[in-house]
Amino acid sequence: SMMGPPYRAARAGQPDFYRATVVPRASHPVAAGVADQDRRVDPAVLAFTLVILAAFTFGVASAPLGLLLGLSPGLVAAGVFLGSAGFVLVSGPIVVDRVPDRWARPVRRLLTHGPRVARWWGRGERTAGRLAVRVVDRSSLVIDRLGYRGLAVLAPVLGRWLVPAAEIALDPPRRDLYRWAVLGCATWSVLVTVGTDALVLLVRGG
């Protein structure tokens, strides 16, 4: 080697230029700041994000999860609303737009003429026929009374797929249907969150 013992001996009493000028990465102010920011992620932000994802997947039933994670009822209700409404607004049009109209038309005709067909089937002494008449009549009565607006508002608790089903079967104005569906998500997010929080307080108080 060109740098023999005499060279190393001459350098022994001098500071190493590289060590004196290059700041270790861990102590570099910019790198340290980024690392500190990574370590200082607010747990509430993570919990809020988790509630949104859970509500997108499971609906308003995710409200207890937010309270369990220590979020305030207001944040829980907001997260549940964002997740559940996001699911409705994303999944509904995707499903409906993929159902051919030739499949939707028979469903609409069945809803229109179903009670009449069921009453014809129920004539006589057939138990199955009488049961079919009751089921079809009551179902038709519920749909007529609620309409697509009522079905959309109740969808978060009766089943979120009720919204695209109502759009296929009843053929309502899409924008109005989803406006009512979002209203239902907001309403039930607040009600389920407040109810769960009140139940928790009642149990703890007892």
Side-chain angles (χ1 to χ4, degrees):
S1 173
M2 295 180 62
M3 298 182 183
Y7 178 83
R8 293 197 184 98
R11 294 270 298 177
Q14 300 178 7
D16 192 316
F17 178 77
Y18 180 81
R19 286 198 300 266
T21 56
V22 178
V23 180
R25 186 172 182 177
S27 62
H28 193 281
V30 176
V34 173
D36 289 342
Q37 288 179 2
D38 291 341
R39 288 194 297 267
R40 288 199 303 266
V41 174
D42 192 346
V45 174
L46 296 178
F48 186 69
T49 304
L50 183 60
V51 170
I52 294 176
L53 294 176
F56 189 90
T57 306
F58 302 108
V60 296
S62 304
L65 173 64
L67 297 173
L68 185 63
L69 292 174
L71 294 176
S72 67
L75 284 177
V76 173
V80 171
F81 165 70
L82 291 175
S84 56
F87 175 85
V88 170
L89 295 175
V90 170
S91 65
I94 291 176
V95 171
V96 174
D97 291 343
R98 281 161 176 72
V99 176
D101 193 56
R102 65 178 182 274
W103 293 359
R105 282 196 299 268
V107 175
R108 295 167 193 153
R109 283 198 295 267
L110 179 63
L111 288 175
T112 302
H113 305 293
R116 189 181 309 165
V117 174
R119 281 191 289 271
W120 175 83
W121 175 257
R123 287 185 296 183
E125 299 298 326
R126 289 174 294 191
T127 304
R130 292 196 299 272
L131 179 61
V133 170
R134 288 197 296 270
V135 171
V136 173
D137 278 345
R138 289 179 182 177
S139 301
S140 179
L141 182 62
V142 169
I143 293 174
D144 288 340
R145 286 185 176 179
L146 292 177
Y148 70 87
R149 295 181 179 89
L151 293 174
V153 171
L154 292 176
V157 289
L158 296 181
R160 295 182 295 171
W161 295 109
L162 196 58
V163 175
E167 184 173 1
I168 294 171
L170 303 178
D171 195 25
R174 170 172 284 188
R175 186 170 298 179
D176 196 37
L177 173 67
Y178 286 97
R179 186 182 299 118
W180 284 95
V182 169
L183 176 63
C185 290
T187 302
W188 288 106
S189 296
V190 172
L191 291 179
V192 173
T193 301
V194 171
T196 304
D197 187 53
L199 181 61
V200 170
L201 293 176
L202 180 63
V203 171
R204 288 178 177 175

